[in-house]
Amino acid sequence: MRFESMTLPAAMQADLEAAYAMPARAYHNFSHVQAVLQHCRAVADGPGWEHPREVQLAALYHDAIYDAGRSDNEARSAVMAREAIQRWLPDAGIDVARVVQLIELTARHGALGAADIDAEAALFLDCDMAILGAPAAVFDAYDQGIAEEYAGHVPGFLFRLNRRRFLKQLLLKPRIFLSAFFHARLDAAARANLRRRIG
């Protein structure tokens, strides 16, 4: 897989893909990672990245560990990223702290404003949240995938309550996306999806 011409060592790539192949991954699987990377490439062709390699690694590892209902998935994924970079890319000049920071920020989706983070972090978080502005059928598949991941971990009524609350909070925000780039491209579609989903 390539992004900004960076190719991972084969063993690192295999280990990463194995993490995303763990059971109960209806949405947070490697297809999601590839979709995020596609948005990262769109940014690269638009406003660009200051730290493209760090963004790529953060995108690759941001959901490497995912157990529905746990609050430490992002922190554990960041630890996995740090250890993988130290193991397989020790001399590549990667800013490991930046990779960790970007991954950990994904735990705060919906709670951050543009003023809380730098412009590159805003673009990165928006790449992860761009699914909200996807075509209706793609959005619906994402929403169903999240429900499937939580099934058996959280009672259905509680999941539906919390999910609706999260989506409603997003819809009420003056800006769903933190960056001007994604706001212009996806805000209207995201609001249409959220309104349809909330009913």
Side-chain angles (χ1 to χ4, degrees), residues 63-80:
D63 284 324
I65 295 177
Y66 183 80
D67 293 321
R70 288 192 58 150
S71 61
D72 62 349
N73 289 319
E74 296 84 1
R76 293 163 66 210
S77 294
V79 169
M80 182 178 177

Side-chain angles (χ1 to χ4, degrees), residues 137-158:
V138 177
F139 174 88
D140 290 347
Y142 143 76
D143 199 56
Q144 180 60 38
I146 298 294
E148 289 177 20
E149 288 177 343
Y150 273 84
H153 296 276
V154 178
F157 78 93
L158 187 59

Side-chain angles (χ1 to χ4, degrees), residues 119-171:
E120 183 172 66
L123 285 163
F124 172 73
L125 291 175
D126 284 352
C127 286
D128 192 27
M129 293 290 276
I131 185 65
L132 297 177
V138 177
F139 174 88
D140 290 347
Y142 143 76
D143 199 56
Q144 180 60 38
I146 298 294
E148 289 177 20
E149 288 177 343
Y150 273 84
H153 296 276
V154 178
F157 78 93
L158 187 59
F159 167 78
R160 289 188 294 274
L161 177 68
N162 289 334
R163 180 70 174 162
R164 191 172 193 278
R165 181 181 298 138
F166 172 70
L167 296 180
K168 190 173 183 179
Q169 286 173 345
L170 288 177
L171 185 57

Side-chain angles (χ1 to χ4, degrees), residues 18-19 31 44 48 71 79 81 86 106 112 119 149 159 176 187:
S31 293
S71 61
V79 169
Q86 291 171 343
T106 64
L112 293 168
E149 288 177 343
F159 167 78
I176 293 173
D187 183 79

